[in-house]
Amino acid sequence: MDDHSHEPDPEKRVTSPMQDFGGREVGIGAAVTLVGLLIAYVVPALLI
């Protein structure tokens, strides 16, 4: 059977859930979440 994969070795592929992340990434995610919640809930509540 021919291998038509575009990757050199599919067994060595790394996907996001498998990659490590540190405190910096957690902080960025928390900041983005906080800004999103402010825009979604606080700003409309202030405009009422």
Side-chain angles (χ1 to χ4, degrees):
M1 176 188 263
D2 292 332
D3 181 19
H4 295 287
S5 174
H6 294 285
E7 297 181 28
D9 187 0
E11 298 299 320
K12 293 184 179 181
R13 181 178 58 187
V14 177
T15 58
S16 294
M18 295 169 52
Q19 295 175 345
D20 292 333
F21 58 91
R24 182 176 184 269
E25 289 83 4
V26 172
I28 291 171
V32 169
T33 300
L34 182 61
V35 170
L37 290 172
L38 286 172
I39 291 171
Y41 294 104
V42 176
V43 172
L46 292 174
L47 296 176
I48 293 177

